[in-house]
Amino acid sequence: MAESITVTTPGLTSIQDLGRLRASRFGQMTGGASDQYSADVANALVGSPRTAPLLEVVAMDFGAVASIDLLVAVTGAPAEVQVGGVTRPQWEPFVWTAGEELTVRGIRDGLRVYLAVHGTIDAPYLLGSCAPDSVLGFGRQLTVGESVAIDVDGPPIDHPHFRMPLFRLGARPAAFTGCWTIDVTGGPDVHEFGSTSARLFDTPFVIGDNSNHIGLRLTPTDPGSPVPRRDRSTEVLSRGVPIGAVEVPAGDEILVLHRGRGVTAGYPVLAVVTATALSQLGQARPGQEVRFRKVTVPDAVDAYRSQRRSIDLLRSRVANAFASLRIPLHTETTSAQHSSVPQMESA
């Protein structure tokens, strides 16, 4: 049965997923949740597919009222999460009671909070994803009074003895310290920086106010500290660049491309942020300090595999808990089932 949540305080909130994994072949940004780990865990906690739509709340307060009892999970940056004025935990599922306002206030240390629901959030799709694309004008921020439809396919949430389910599923929260250590591997142009490439790792950087989901702009914490410098004067031709590319333009700053990046660029790429560290950068706030740490490609792959294993184990625990409470798990669905935007097929 289709139900809905009605937005009372929109803040900066959008419907997100993990992005368009094959979009680069069409010259389109990948997009998706800036903190992929927190978004993935949120969906795991409510038994939804990892690619299911969820809400991404950025920096500002959020509030909404549900038309039916919902099982939800809130992950991401620390915040004050309440339902009807009663505090609810992050990184564990809880019941959002119909007619009561769920609020997310005081986001701190990080930048983004993720709200996943046990049900299917209705959203338009483009190239297999509902993630907003600011360049194409697809997707948008939610507005006050807006209703977001949710297809609820399970029975009322209940516990055979306590009447309301209680969970201790052991999700692994991300660390939020206000100072970020970001792992990077060597970039394709590292040999062009000579000994100055070490400055990337010896110098702490601060995130600039004009950073966003397209990329972060960082300058040395000490304004007198030099940034890495390319030691040759040949022109750098525009070419494909990965998400996480650490670019060094002329000037006193470095750029780190994130999920909203264009697929081509013409600045030299000194390093590439690892997949796990990209989620950390998705939480980094303007004014916070960043230090870069060099790792090998095998170490980066091992870290990513370890993170994936922890989420897979969480999903196994969720499946067992939900089965005991007769809460159905959601299976993978195709975007075409929920899309109001024509799909483009890859060649």
Side-chain angles (χ1 to χ4, degrees):
M1 181 175 62
E3 299 287 348
S4 66
I5 61 174
T6 301
V7 178
T8 55
T9 304
L12 296 176
T13 304
S14 61
I15 301 175
Q16 280 281 9
D17 59 19
L18 297 187
R20 299 173 180 83
L21 301 182
R22 299 183 299 169
S24 294
R25 70 181 66 184
F26 302 115
Q28 184 183 1
M29 74 177 191
T30 303
S34 293
D35 179 356
Q36 298 266 295
Y37 175 72
S38 292
D40 200 347
V41 170
N43 273 327
L45 286 168
V46 295
S48 291
R50 65 187 305 262
T51 57
L54 75 172
L55 300 186
E56 182 182 68
V57 183
V58 181
M60 301 178 65
D61 293 349
F62 169 80
V65 176
S67 66
I68 191 173
D69 287 0
L70 292 173
L71 187 65
V72 300
V74 178
T75 62
E80 301 301 325
V81 181
Q82 295 185 335
V83 174
V86 178
T87 299
R88 292 290 185 257
Q90 289 182 261
W91 301 89
E92 292 286 2
F94 61 87
V95 174
W96 178 1
T97 309
E100 294 191 340
E101 186 181 32
L102 180 149
T103 58
V104 177
R105 298 191 178 101
I107 298 174
R108 58 191 182 275
D109 298 333
L111 193 60
R112 293 174 168 88
V113 166
Y114 294 89
L115 170 62
V117 304
H118 182 73
T120 303
I121 296 177
D122 184 46
Y125 276 71
L126 176 68
L127 290 176
S129 170
C130 68
D133 186 318
S134 57
V135 175
L136 294 180
F138 176 79
R140 55 183 175 76
Q141 305 289 338
L142 299 182
T143 58
V144 65
E146 182 173 356
S147 290
V148 178
I150 299 176
D151 185 23
V152 182
D153 61 359
I157 299 162
D158 196 17
H159 188 286
H161 302 292
F162 300 108
R163 310 322 311 167
M164 283 294 186
L166 303 174
F167 296 100
R168 292 294 184 272
L169 295 171
R172 184 185 300 172
F176 294 87
T177 64
C179 181
W180 304 92
T181 299
I182 302 301
D183 289 342
V184 299
T185 57
D189 304 316
V190 62
H191 60 283
E192 298 184 3
F193 287 84
S195 61
T196 72
S197 63
R199 296 173 185 171
L200 183 68
F201 311 108
D202 298 339
T203 305
F205 293 85
V206 64
I207 300 172
D209 292 340
N210 51 354
S211 300
N212 54 29
H213 69 290
I214 296 175
L216 290 81
R217 294 179 177 270
L218 302 99
T219 55
T221 303
D222 180 358
S225 298
V227 298
R229 286 289 175 226
R230 186 169 176 256
D231 62 8
R232 52 193 74 183
S233 58
T234 55
E235 183 178 359
V236 178
L237 299 179
S238 293
R239 67 274 172 82
V241 289
I243 300 172
V246 180
E247 297 185 323
V248 185
D252 60 354
E253 66 179 4
I254 63 173
L255 310 177
V256 181
L257 303 184
H258 215 279
R259 301 195 63 81
R261 65 86 172 88
V263 298
T264 61
Y267 291 129
V269 178
L270 173 59
V272 179
V273 177
T274 67
T276 52
L278 274 170
S279 288
Q280 294 177 282
L281 275 183
Q283 290 288 359
R285 300 175 70 101
Q288 290 184 328
E289 187 176 279
V290 170
R291 286 182 175 271
F292 293 97
R293 178 173 60 191
K294 187 175 182 179
V295 299
T296 65
V297 171
D299 285 344
V301 172
D302 286 345
Y304 178 74
R305 287 175 174 170
S306 176
Q307 189 177 86
R308 291 298 324 149
R309 283 194 297 269
S310 73
I311 298 175
D312 290 342
L313 289 173
L314 173 63
R315 285 191 173 275
S316 178
R317 293 193 295 272
V318 169
N320 290 334
F322 281 21
S324 68
L325 297 173
R326 300 184 298 277
I327 299 174
L329 291 173
H330 294 153
T331 59
E332 293 287 347
T333 56
T334 63
S335 59
Q337 291 177 287
H338 308 288
S339 174
S340 61
V341 176
Q343 302 297 297
M344 291 179 61
E345 298 295 336
S346 59

